[in-house]
Amino acid sequence: MKPPAKMSKPTSLFVIFFSLFVMSEAVFEDQVGKFDWRQQYVGKTLFAHFDSHSQSSKKLFLATDKNIFASFNSRTGELFWRHVDKAGPEGTIDILLLHGQDALMVVGGGRLLRSWDTNMGGLNWEAVLDTGSFQAACFVAMQDTVKHVAVLKKAAISLHYLTNGHQKWVENLPDSDTVQYQAVYSGGEEEVYVLGVVPNSHLTIIAYSLEDGEIIKQRSVEAPWLSSVESSCVVVGHGVLMCVDTATLALYALPIQSLDLEVSPGFQPVLVSSQPHPARSPISEFFLQLGPDHHVLLQLNADGYTIAPLRDFQPAFLVSFSTTGEKTVAAVMTPKNETVKKKKNVACAINLFSADSGRRLLDTTVIFPLDLNGGKPFKLYVHAFLKKDDSVGYRVLVQTQDHALTFIQQPGRVVWTREEALADVVTMEMVDLPLTGTQAELEGEFGKKADGLFPMVLKRLSSQVILLQAWLAHLWKLFYEARKPHGQVKNEVTIETLSRDEFNLQKMMVMVTASGKLFGIDSKSGSILWKHYLENVQPNAVFKLIVQRTTAHFPHPPQCTLLIKDKDTGLASLHVFNPIFGRKSHIAPPALPRPILQSLLLPVIDQDYAKVLLLVDDQYKVTAFPSTKNVLQQLQEMASSIFFYLIRSDQGNLSGFRLRKDLSTERIWEVVLPTEVQKIVAVNGKRPNEHVHSQGRVMGDRSVLYKYLNPNLLAVVTESTDAHPERAFVGVFLVDGVTGRIIHEAVQRKARGPVHFVHSENWVVYEYWNTKSRRNEFSVLELFEGTELYNSTVFSSLDRPHLPQVLQQTYIFPSPITTMEATLTEKGITSRHLLVGLPSGAILSLPKMFLDPRRPEVVTEHSREENLIPYAPEMPIRTEWFINYNQTVARVKGIYTAPSGLESTCLVVAYGLDIYQTRVYPSKQFDVLKDDYDYVLISSVLFALFFATMISKRLAQVKLLNRAWR
Amino acid sequence: MATPGGQGGGALSTRGGARRMKWALELTLGNARGRGDRQSNQGDVMYPIGYSDKPVPDTSIQESDKNLVEKRCWDVALGPLKQIPMNLFIMYMSGNTISIFPIMMVCMMAWRPIQALMSMSATFKLLENSNQQWLQGLVYSVGNLLGSALAIYKCQSMGLLPTHSSDWLAFIEPPVRMEIMGGGMVL
């Protein structure tokens, strides 16, 4: 199945290239999905619509904050299709309107108007709109058919045909510099109404003729209490504008009427209304939200002047209208009774109410449990439909604060849940799974050494017996379950059955998302094993995830710490949890009254085997966590050898500190890169869990070029502030983090960021945009100590008189890249590959061999001996290097690599909009038998040979005997 | 192996009666069918036991035999040296590439002298009749040593000897880190 493994010693160029071909590693067809998986996400829902075009439709349309328009299967929660637009404000979806088979979208702050075919997800048409910031849009109907869409901009209104997007007319709005036009409305008449407001003065209503865009009427209403139409006004009934005065809490239905209602202090009342069809007026019932969990259903009477309350809902989290046929219903979500709440299992109930009477509809209650580790319900989308017996059935999509979507069907069954928070993973770690009891028993045996020979033998025997027992139990289970039909045998991973596999290939992925929700995902199957929502996390918070204790210290549970820093206040908090179960640890994190600048994980462990985390505050004082006596004592002893560095990008300042015995610090060095010239964009040290097996490289003449493996080396990347293509530059500084000594300085002229770089072993690879040649380039820096080691036993940055030799080479790369990471293996014996995320969604596994500054321009005997590829300026992209074949990962933001128990195997997780997990084998699987290893053939040959030997031995004996008798 | 009836000497035969009986003792030689067939042409003359038709060579020690022994001993002693040109030729032919055949040849080349040196005492026994026993022994061992030196040279030219620093690279332990360092951009 796989190509032959190795060439022994390439003797010519041809052979070298041939061997490269052989080295290529792609996934074979039968390996697809065997050890890799992908999950696709869309992000936080902004607009959601059910496909009400046909009764049996399973489609659900979403527009999200990640600029994605997607269609889901509402029965399974799977994606039908997804359109990923440009990231950033250029692709923002301003509004999503659904009518029949057309989904209309205004994109990019009013830049484009798009119409999608909801059946197939194809683009019907796209129209470029005039400049101006988008305000509102609505369908405009004429004689009961929807033919147009009106788009309101800051200073203009335009009408477009629904069929082809052509503009029917565009009109400038009068006095657009003083009046803020905020809403557009059409009730099926021949007019389009535009509502504008001059804050705290008056409301302007302009009616345009549908035919030619002429102003038919223009009216101004005194409204000194009104500041925004958008947030406090809705149209109800036959063209009645209903506004709520937030200050005095009066409801103004033009003309004005006041109502006796009480609002929660500090809450801005919200109005909710519904317009089931653009050709008809909105229904005359509407909701008024008076508090976080207080809603009132009101009805505007037929005279258009009086309002009657229909029903008071308290408590009620969320309300929503839905229409099916001629019936409009209101869905209300209320918390379930209090007794359940005490059991720490909050449930919610959803009831349907008839909109026109406020009566509760029978048999419409849906109760669903609310995940305590999730957020509160945030929005309700209801899809009502008529059952065969003419009663109303419904399905509900609940959006919670943690961006999760839950789809519920009527008897209270949660059909599916999508954790959309995973569309924005900020940082992640992979944690080893715990050992099973038997494995722990075996491990424990090696742990203790104090016993004598005999007890050790006994212990070994007993553990072997336990292993045998477990194996027999396993066999018995297999035997027992063999009779069951295949589907019934459950192979699901649950949190209880989690245990480390033979080669430690299955790990727990701890993912931190921007919304503050933490996930524990099984790396083998991709199933979410636990989730924990951290409430009151600011949207712009910074996260740093630290593994303080791994699973290796058996009776002690593993421990992860998440440092959450609020960008605005600078204050940080720690969330300590068990990464396997997601439970919050009982260990109390230290109080951090001062803003935290950085953290530093020491290799020092306390008596409970937890690594010590140092937190540096803005006065450069250090807080230790955990801070037991033992730890403090160790810290005092080691203080003189603990250093840390801080980089302030805004001041262009790099400074190094040394810890004092009293946990204060002293600044020992400072490097200033003037901010007028260049800006520090990124810094990277080496990964602490990286092992380098070989201390040098073997030259062609069999001497050694020793690597400069400075564990304290930092790669600091700067970009010039001058963006002119002739003067722009990118700088890479290699700084020793202990002494502040600049080891090397590489400046790439006529280059521009964004710079992606990897710093590992003795090399730095970075990628930038060459402004002169207009292409992407890779550059590699390698540091060597020379042919002799200065000190082979210890490395101290304070005693390094010689600067390393630096080699550099640059290559042209045919594609821009979005992220880059290097593979990582257990012992560092396996050759390294670079994993490059491309904007196309592919992840390229690029052998480091191609990025080697020793690649010769002229091939010599020695370079051939070293297996160096001759220098070629172009870097190839081979499609068989794509580790994710056709499973593209949209908007790759980061790639995480982790070693597995096998030296050949590196676990890879690419995250961005999607999450993709796979394994890579940079030097092929040299330590395991291949998947397609022919056990049957080999063992049958072995057995055949064995029996042949037995038989021939017997025959030979007989023959010998006979000969002797002769 | 002790085959039944094997010790019977000339008087015993397992051949003639093998078909009918397991063994038979022939007391009268003349009746023996096998012998009878062979000796039928020569008549019924019976020779005494130990009689041979052919003349016995003269085995008395003569002066020229001494030289022969000497010559034979020198042959033994010079054997390894004589192989060296042959080995050189093989070495030249096999080249310096590392593949199975050159490796096998080098192993043979290295192993034979070592084997010979280890069985020195046996060789000395061969040479013990010679007057120049010690000289011959010396020449023999020098020859073998040269042979093994040649093998070592071959190993060296093939790059099989750990004489370069790169050969010890895998045994260098990573240096111990003296300082602990960490930090980063201000969060």
Side-chain angles (χ1 to χ4, degrees), chain A residues 565 597-598 600 638 641 643-647 681 694-696 702 704 712 737 793-798 964-965, chain B residues 3-4 22 159 161 164-167 169-170 172-187:
Chain A
K565 185 180 170 181
L597 297 184
Q598 248 308 340
L600 163 64
M638 298 182 58
S641 66
F643 297 83
F644 64 93
Y645 68 96
L646 286 173
I647 293 179
V681 282
S694 181
Q695 298 295 306
R702 300 180 63 207
V704 176
N712 307 322
T793 51
V794 290
F795 190 98
S796 169
S797 289
L798 303 168
W965 272 108
Chain B
T3 52
K22 270 195 173 166
L161 294 186
H164 294 272
S165 51
S166 59
D167 299 315
L169 181 63
I172 301 177
E173 290 291 315
V176 181
R177 197 176 165 176
M178 293 304 280
E179 295 96 8
I180 301 167
M181 187 220 54
M185 288 259 208
V186 169
L187 289 177

Side-chain angles (χ1 to χ4, degrees), chain A residues 441-668:
Chain A
E441 181 79 20
L442 270 187
E443 292 281 320
E445 186 189 334
F446 297 112
K448 298 161 205 153
K449 281 178 184 157
D451 299 339
L453 189 67
F454 190 62
M456 287 281 269
V457 172
L458 271 188
K459 204 183 264 177
R460 156 51 59 98
L461 284 179
S462 71
S463 50
Q464 300 279 35
V465 166
I466 292 171
L467 272 187
L468 185 72
Q469 231 172 355
W471 186 65
L472 286 178
H474 175 71
L475 277 190
W476 171 247
K477 205 178 149 202
L478 274 186
F479 175 72
Y480 190 73
E481 281 177 353
R483 283 178 299 174
K484 284 188 187 170
H486 213 70
Q488 277 186 19
V489 184
K490 273 191 183 168
N491 224 351
E492 262 177 43
V493 192
T494 57
I495 213 151
E496 285 77 27
T497 60
L498 271 186
S499 66
R500 199 178 298 183
D501 61 341
E502 214 175 339
F503 298 127
N504 200 3
L505 290 166
Q506 186 180 7
K507 293 198 181 195
M508 177 66 85
M509 294 158 53
V510 179
M511 298 192 126
V512 182
T513 62
S515 63
K517 196 165 186 181
L518 311 182
F519 291 92
I521 301 177
D522 170 36
S523 77
K524 196 175 182 185
S525 61
S527 51
I528 296 170
L529 296 178
W530 58 262
K531 46 203 168 188
H532 187 91
Y533 181 58
L534 301 170
E535 276 170 60
N536 53 52
V537 167
Q538 299 303 312
N540 60 350
V542 188
F543 299 94
K544 197 169 174 183
L545 183 63
I546 302 129
V547 181
Q548 278 196 293
R549 183 165 55 217
T550 60
T551 29
H553 310 282
F554 172 52
H556 301 284
Q559 183 182 327
C560 272
T561 302
L562 181 68
L563 174 69
I564 309 153
K565 185 180 170 181
D566 188 341
K567 266 276 187 199
D568 298 328
T569 60
L571 290 175
S573 60
L574 293 178
H575 174 68
V576 187
F577 63 99
N578 179 335
I580 302 299
F581 301 110
R583 279 196 291 267
K584 195 169 180 203
S585 171
H586 55 86
I587 299 165
L592 303 167
R594 300 213 59 85
I596 295 298
L597 297 184
Q598 248 308 340
S599 70
L600 163 64
L601 188 70
L602 299 181
V604 180
I605 52 170
D606 71 345
Q607 68 270 38
D608 290 340
Y609 304 102
K611 282 185 188 163
V612 177
L613 183 69
L614 294 188
L615 298 152
V616 187
D617 66 18
D618 63 344
Q619 290 182 332
Y620 308 108
K621 286 242 164 54
V622 167
T623 315
F625 170 66
S627 58
T628 55
K629 221 173 205 172
N630 178 319
V631 168
L632 293 179
Q633 198 186 336
Q634 282 192 59
L635 277 182
Q636 275 191 357
E637 284 164 17
M638 298 182 58
S640 59
S641 66
I642 297 174
F643 297 83
F644 64 93
Y645 68 96
L646 286 173
I647 293 179
R648 286 177 184 275
S649 177
D650 48 341
Q651 297 165 9
N653 174 311
L654 291 84
S655 37
F657 299 84
R658 180 211 287 266
L659 196 67
R660 286 212 197 109
K661 285 198 191 309
D662 58 345
L663 293 188
S664 65
T665 57
E666 57 179 328
R667 185 187 298 243
I668 50 172

Side-chain angles (χ1 to χ4, degrees), chain A residues 340-372:
Chain A
V340 183
K341 215 173 197 172
K342 274 176 194 160
K343 276 196 269 171
K344 292 222 161 193
N345 187 12
V346 185
C348 276
I350 300 171
N351 282 296
L352 275 197
F353 294 86
S354 161
D356 37 296
S357 63
R359 269 187 307 107
R360 197 167 81 85
L361 298 177
L362 289 176
D363 301 329
T364 55
T365 311
V366 162
I367 297 172
F368 75 98
L370 205 59
D371 188 2
L372 265 187

Side-chain angles (χ1 to χ4, degrees), chain A residues 37-53:
Chain A
W37 50 262
R38 175 180 67 162
Q39 288 171 355
Q40 290 186 307
Y41 293 97
V42 293
K44 181 192 172 188
T45 308
L46 298 180
F47 307 99
H49 290 284
F50 287 93
D51 186 12
S52 48
H53 185 64

Side-chain angles (χ1 to χ4, degrees), chain A residues 174-321:
Chain A
D175 309 323
S176 59
D177 43 348
T178 53
V179 186
Q180 296 174 9
Y181 292 97
Q182 286 175 334
V184 60
Y185 162 76
S186 161
E189 302 96 3
E190 300 283 298
E191 291 149 352
V192 182
Y193 297 91
V194 174
L195 308 175
V197 67
V198 178
N200 306 323
S201 164
H202 63 271
L203 185 73
T204 309
I205 302 168
I206 308 170
Y208 285 94
S209 157
L210 200 58
E211 277 308 310
D212 48 7
E214 252 181 78
I215 296 176
I216 300 171
K217 280 184 285 196
Q218 187 167 1
R219 210 186 136 193
S220 182
V221 182
E222 281 299 311
W225 39 268
L226 188 67
S227 57
S228 163
V229 178
E230 223 176 355
S231 59
S232 49
C233 292
V234 290
V235 180
V236 174
H238 294 280
V240 177
L241 186 69
M242 188 68 66
C243 295
V244 61
D245 177 5
T246 53
T248 62
L249 190 79
L251 268 182
Y252 295 93
L254 302 169
I256 302 149
Q257 184 206 6
S258 189
L259 243 119
D260 188 23
L261 291 165
E262 202 179 309
V263 72
S264 317
F267 183 79
Q268 178 158 2
V270 180
L271 285 166
V272 181
S273 77
S274 164
Q275 185 178 15
H277 194 271
R280 261 155 261 144
S281 326
I283 56 166
S284 51
E285 289 80 21
F286 60 96
F287 273 110
L288 174 63
Q289 190 181 3
L290 293 168
D293 54 356
H294 187 194
H295 291 79
V296 186
L297 181 64
L298 301 167
Q299 187 179 36
L300 183 71
N301 288 343
D303 56 11
Y305 295 97
T306 51
I307 298 164
L310 286 179
R311 202 175 174 124
D312 194 346
F313 297 105
Q314 191 176 21
F317 291 143
L318 295 169
V319 293
S320 176
F321 283 111

